[in-house]
Amino acid sequence: MAKINSKPAGSVTHLFIYILTFLLLWEWLRPIPVITHTADIHIFVWFAFFSAILIYLRVPYWLIIPALLAGSIYGLHIIFYEGSFLSREGGWQTVRLFSGEAWYNTTLIFSGEFAGLTDPFRTFLLFLLLALVCYLLYFSVFQTRRIFFFLLSTVVYITVLDTFTPVEASAAIIRIVIIGFFILTLLHMLKIQDEERAIGRRTASFFSPAWMYTLIFMILAATGVGIAAPKPDPQWSDPVPAMRGMVLGEGSGSGSGLKRVGYGENDERLGGGFIQDDNPVFTAEVDEASYWRGESKHEYTGHGWVSDPRYEEVSGDSLGYAKYESLTETEERQVSIEMKEGVGFSHFFYPGQVQSISLDNLSFYVDDNEGAREPLSFMTDPVGGRVMAETPEGNEITLTAYDLVYEDPAFPIGTMRTVSENDPQEVQDLYLQLPEELPERVADLAEEIVEDEENRYDKVKAVEQYFSESGFTYQTQDVPMPEEDEDYVDQFLFETQVGYCDNYSTSMAVLLRTLDIPARWVKGFTSGEEIEELEDGRSVYEVANGNAHSWVEVYFPEVGWVPFEPTQGFDNYAEFAEEEVDIDIDLDEENGEDTEQPDQDRDDMIPELEEGADDFEAAGSDGSTGGGGPGLAEMFTPRTLFISILSLVFLMVLYQKQSRLQNYYFLIHYKLLGQDKRFSTAYRRLLWILENEGLPRGEGETLREYAKRVDLVLSSQAMMKLTKLYEKVYYGGYEPDGEWEALQTEWEELVKSLNS
């Protein structure tokens, strides 16, 4: 009978080493959910354990291969498919679907289209890889007795993840060191046993307790000293940014090829893809999330943006840069910003309209030397909004921390629909500029987009929403670079329709300018990730290179510059207020009632309340009143205790099943009351249910990306159908007519899938 190994089974020491080696394999699997989107990692761990047992027991090939195949299909069923595996609808359906998957993916492999492999087949290959690794570990322990290479690979793997990813591997390193000490020492002991038997000193395997006690003591002592010993701070600067720059490439604003995302200075040549960079740039303590404005640029060249800064020195700490005008209400707020080590800019980033800068908490560097807090001169570019500071000698500084006071606006929608469109001449001169070579079809498209709108605000919103309704795709890689004779906006609008924030924001600004609507291109950072909520209600946000972003500001007379967000998947944090109509109705006069009467009635009731209080205080100490109410002994009867226990059990079951009960409630609610006009509400409720069931929408994930992931997890196509309709309703103002009746079953299918 063919077996994995024809030799007799190893000793207990072999088994112990094999178990320790499996624990090393577990260390390879632990970080996977952190660095990838892989979920259900416990299934892979159990499959590896199952494979290791079969291999250790030396099960024949004709049994182990079907067993591993069945185990992998069972794992695929749990991850991707529905129903009980032992039922015809469950396991048999999984086998049938996987057979089709295997045939389809095999053809892809032979044709070299590896990128097209489906997720279930990729997962199946991972199961096979785990089984193969378990066999190789078995071979290393029982045949070659060499495990050092695998141990070294594990250390390198974990340290690389700890350095370059969010994985925190401090505890993993300690575990690996302890396991490695045991494995290497026990393997050395096995070698000595072989030598002893070879020279005839011993005829059987032996185990030395003294050896094991010494090993345990040495490992505990070395680990304890390593943990408790003082550790100096890093003696060299962080090599990760430099290594990433060498490997991934540094990108400026010009040139072609793949760049690294981040805030750059040169925007003369836009286009091309970029690589994500999650290195943090600064943290901000602020009242609420907002975009971080660096500057704006006003001249579009056909390939990018340029600007001619016109710095003006301002006196004191009040900055003379106005974005908002008389009809915009603002609220004063404060923000504290601290740059990460090794990161700094010569200008400030701010939300809203910056008012003043606090000198007390301002820190900076001048030529790599820490600068004094004063004196400083502040300069503002009134055209681009770039705010800088310099020393009395005229040297630029590198800011590392600062506090700002800014005005947070609320833009009046009704006012913006009715304001005059007679823009000041200086606004027209700067923010209506377009290159002479701009293709005419760009202006024709703008006219087509706004043909049904009558005021500036609705025209701007129509252009903003156009990109979400017309087949454009947000993409950061494989983004074409325009040729020298090709206009950047024209290429995006009519040729590729693929790009990221620079494509969207530049195109919106140019389209608006063809309509004689002043617009400018703004760059900075999105809000970042909230990492801490403070006791005073404020929050701390961490902003990374990956948050670098661009958007559009549009001018409205008497309102000022208003931000808009055309890029798919991004939220505009600006507040837009619908003016309320004041209706002054004297309800008391209308009803002919005396307003003082309720107060008099309450005064008349006070003595009665006080009298009742006296009666309560006169109650007996045994808990009974003078009227002969029940005492404690009568309250705690067997009957009341039994009812209390039943009620408690009922409440516990109700609490445990609350999620499913809520889902059933919304199923019935939208089945009975669902209407076309309530479709948006039903869709948002579905998002809430998915998050409640452990399928939340990821940060920065577009609705379509999220819908695709949900359908993959639930083996459905319903989420994408609902999402496409919601985008038409939300972004395009589409009025559903009979759509809810058609998609109601899709909505219910998703909720029922979660319940099952």
Side-chain angles (χ1 to χ4, degrees), residues 452-749:
D452 296 328
E453 312 301 340
E454 298 180 353
N455 60 77
R456 176 171 292 187
Y457 176 78
D458 290 335
K459 291 178 181 179
V460 174
K461 290 297 293 182
V463 175
E464 181 188 45
Q465 295 172 358
Y466 169 75
F467 300 98
S468 301
E469 305 164 1
S470 308
F472 289 84
T473 303
Y474 182 87
Q475 187 169 304
T476 59
Q477 297 187 22
D478 298 326
V479 178
M481 191 82 172
E483 300 295 336
E484 286 296 332
D485 58 347
E486 190 174 17
D487 185 86
Y488 177 67
V489 168
D490 182 79
Q491 181 211 40
F492 176 64
L493 292 176
F494 300 102
E495 304 297 336
T496 65
Q497 294 192 330
V498 170
Y500 44 93
C501 58
D502 290 346
N503 300 89
Y504 287 88
S505 56
T506 300
S507 298
M508 179 177 178
V510 170
L511 287 170
L512 292 176
R513 289 186 177 189
T514 65
L515 300 170
D516 293 329
I517 298 176
R520 61 191 182 189
W521 186 75
V522 189
K523 56 186 292 189
F525 293 92
T526 59
S527 61
E529 178 184 1
E530 184 179 5
I531 59 175
E532 183 180 0
E533 186 173 343
L534 304 177
E535 295 181 356
D536 59 0
R538 292 160 64 86
S539 298
V540 177
Y541 287 83
E542 183 178 75
V543 180
N545 278 321
N547 295 115
H549 191 54
S550 61
W551 60 97
V552 179
E553 288 180 350
V554 182
Y555 181 76
F556 290 82
E558 301 182 79
V559 174
W561 291 96
V562 182
F564 290 89
E565 178 55 88
T567 307
Q568 293 178 349
F570 288 80
D571 297 322
N572 187 358
Y573 289 104
E575 180 181 352
F576 291 85
E578 291 277 8
E579 290 88 343
E580 297 180 359
V581 179
D582 293 332
I583 302 177
D584 189 10
I585 300 177
D586 192 343
L587 296 177
D588 297 326
E589 251 182 54
E590 193 173 293
N591 297 329
E593 295 180 357
D594 185 0
T595 58
E596 296 182 0
Q597 184 63 34
D599 294 334
Q600 294 175 0
D601 292 343
R602 285 194 294 269
D603 292 340
D604 294 339
M605 293 172 62
I606 291 176
E608 297 178 9
L609 293 174
E610 292 177 350
E611 186 176 328
D614 293 337
D615 292 340
F616 180 77
E617 291 173 359
S621 60
D622 61 352
S624 61
T625 64
L632 291 176
E634 295 176 78
M635 291 175 62
F636 291 99
T637 62
R639 180 167 177 256
T640 57
L641 286 175
F642 179 72
I643 294 175
S644 300
I645 293 173
L646 285 180
S647 301
L648 182 61
V649 172
F650 174 75
L651 290 175
M652 292 173 63
V653 173
L654 191 65
Y655 178 79
Q656 185 180 11
K657 303 293 184 182
Q658 59 175 327
S659 179
R660 180 167 295 187
L661 293 174
Q662 288 175 352
N663 294 351
Y664 280 128
Y665 165 77
F666 289 119
L667 273 174
I668 298 173
H669 176 79
Y670 286 107
K671 181 185 287 289
L672 300 177
L673 303 178
Q675 302 174 10
D676 287 335
K677 64 182 181 180
R678 301 190 64 188
F679 171 77
S680 296
T681 305
Y683 183 87
R684 289 192 291 270
R685 176 58 65 185
L686 179 60
L687 295 179
W688 179 86
I689 292 174
L690 288 168
E691 181 176 2
N692 199 39
E693 294 290 341
L695 269 176
R697 179 183 174 190
E699 182 178 357
E701 190 175 30
T702 65
L703 283 175
R704 292 206 177 192
E705 292 172 343
Y706 178 55
K708 182 178 180 181
R709 181 162 61 87
V710 170
D711 284 340
L712 180 63
V713 172
L714 300 180
S715 300
S716 166
Q717 297 180 353
M719 189 63 184
M720 184 60 73
K721 296 178 182 178
L722 294 167
T723 299
K724 289 181 178 179
L725 177 59
Y726 178 76
E727 288 180 340
K728 291 169 64 178
V729 172
Y730 184 80
Y731 296 110
Y734 175 81
E735 293 293 335
D737 184 14
E739 304 285 350
W740 171 251
E741 183 178 352
L743 293 177
Q744 181 179 352
T745 55
E746 310 285 353
W747 193 96
E748 294 174 356
E749 174 192 331

Side-chain angles (χ1 to χ4, degrees), residues 98-113:
F98 177 72
S99 300
E101 289 267 356
W103 175 257
Y104 170 73
N105 285 274
T106 302
T107 59
L108 291 179
I109 291 175
F110 281 109
S111 61
E113 300 177 10

Side-chain angles (χ1 to χ4, degrees), residues 42-321:
H42 63 281
I43 296 176
F44 298 97
V45 175
W46 279 111
F47 179 82
F49 182 67
F50 175 66
S51 303
I53 291 178
L54 292 178
I55 294 171
Y56 177 77
L57 296 177
R58 299 183 300 149
V59 177
Y61 283 112
W62 59 272
L63 285 179
I64 193 172
I65 292 178
L68 292 177
L69 182 62
S72 61
I73 292 178
Y74 178 69
L76 293 175
H77 175 80
I78 296 177
I79 297 173
F80 294 102
Y81 304 109
E82 299 178 355
S84 172
F85 184 73
L86 299 179
S87 66
R88 179 182 179 85
E89 297 79 9
W92 177 248
Q93 182 75 355
T94 299
V95 173
R96 187 180 65 82
L97 292 175
F98 177 72
S99 300
E101 289 267 356
W103 175 257
Y104 170 73
N105 285 274
T106 302
T107 59
L108 291 179
I109 291 175
F110 281 109
S111 61
E113 300 177 10
F114 300 103
L117 297 179
T118 61
D119 288 339
F121 192 76
R122 292 172 187 265
T123 306
F124 175 72
L125 294 180
L126 178 57
F127 282 131
L128 294 185
L129 177 63
L130 288 174
L132 179 60
V133 170
C134 289
Y135 172 71
L136 292 177
L137 294 179
Y138 175 91
F139 184 82
S140 298
V141 171
F142 286 84
Q143 300 289 335
T144 65
R145 296 182 182 176
R146 294 178 181 176
I147 204 68
F148 179 78
F149 179 75
F150 182 68
L151 176 62
L152 179 63
S153 301
T154 306
V155 173
V156 173
Y157 167 74
I158 292 298
T159 52
V160 168
L161 291 184
D162 183 72
T163 304
F164 293 96
T165 71
V167 173
E168 174 56 48
S170 299
I173 289 294
I174 296 175
R175 292 193 298 267
I176 293 171
V177 169
I178 294 175
I179 293 173
F181 266 123
F182 271 104
I183 292 177
L184 294 176
T185 305
L186 292 176
L187 285 176
H188 185 64
M189 187 177 72
L190 290 177
K191 181 181 178 181
I192 293 177
Q193 289 181 358
D194 292 340
E195 294 174 352
E196 292 282 303
R197 287 194 297 269
I199 63 177
R201 183 175 298 176
R202 293 178 183 268
T203 58
S205 299
F206 63 93
F207 183 82
S208 172
W211 188 308
M212 183 58 64
Y213 295 150
T214 304
L215 172 62
I216 294 175
F217 174 77
M218 293 299 295
I219 290 176
L220 291 177
T223 305
V225 170
I227 295 175
K231 302 169 185 63
D233 294 332
Q235 303 299 304
W236 298 280
S237 58
D238 187 3
V240 174
M243 295 175 64
R244 286 186 168 179
M246 293 172 58
V247 175
L248 303 179
E250 290 284 352
S252 63
S254 62
S256 61
L258 206 59
K259 303 183 288 289
R260 187 165 64 98
V261 66
Y263 187 92
E265 298 291 336
N266 191 333
D267 305 297
E268 296 179 10
R269 184 77 174 177
L270 300 178
F274 64 80
I275 299 173
Q276 285 290 350
D277 181 359
D278 295 326
N279 282 331
V281 177
F282 63 85
T283 57
E285 182 181 323
V286 69
D287 292 320
E288 57 186 19
S290 61
Y291 279 7
W292 303 99
R293 194 183 196 278
E295 62 180 315
S296 64
K297 296 190 175 182
H298 64 275
E299 183 177 347
Y300 174 64
T301 64
H303 296 288
W305 293 90
V306 296
S307 186
D308 182 20
R310 308 173 185 179
Y311 290 111
E312 298 177 358
E313 186 172 346
V314 292
S315 59
D317 59 355
S318 179
L319 305 176
Y321 174 60

Side-chain angles (χ1 to χ4, degrees), residues 339-416:
M339 295 290 168
K340 292 294 184 179
E341 184 178 357
V343 179
F345 292 88
S346 60
H347 63 285
F348 296 87
F349 290 93
Y350 55 90
Q353 175 175 301
V354 62
Q355 289 296 299
S356 61
I357 301 170
S358 172
L359 294 176
D360 294 335
N361 297 321
L362 180 66
S363 62
F364 57 91
Y365 285 90
V366 181
D367 297 330
D368 295 331
N369 296 317
E370 187 171 359
R373 292 183 179 176
E374 56 184 4
L376 287 177
S377 299
F378 291 99
M379 299 176 299
T380 302
D381 174 15
V383 175
R386 187 180 177 107
V387 182
M388 301 181 64
E390 65 177 23
T391 64
E393 294 78 18
N395 297 322
E396 284 190 4
I397 67 175
T398 300
L399 299 163
T400 56
Y402 48 89
D403 291 351
L404 298 174
V405 176
Y406 69 97
E407 289 184 348
D408 187 35
F411 300 107
I413 295 179
T415 300
M416 289 191 289

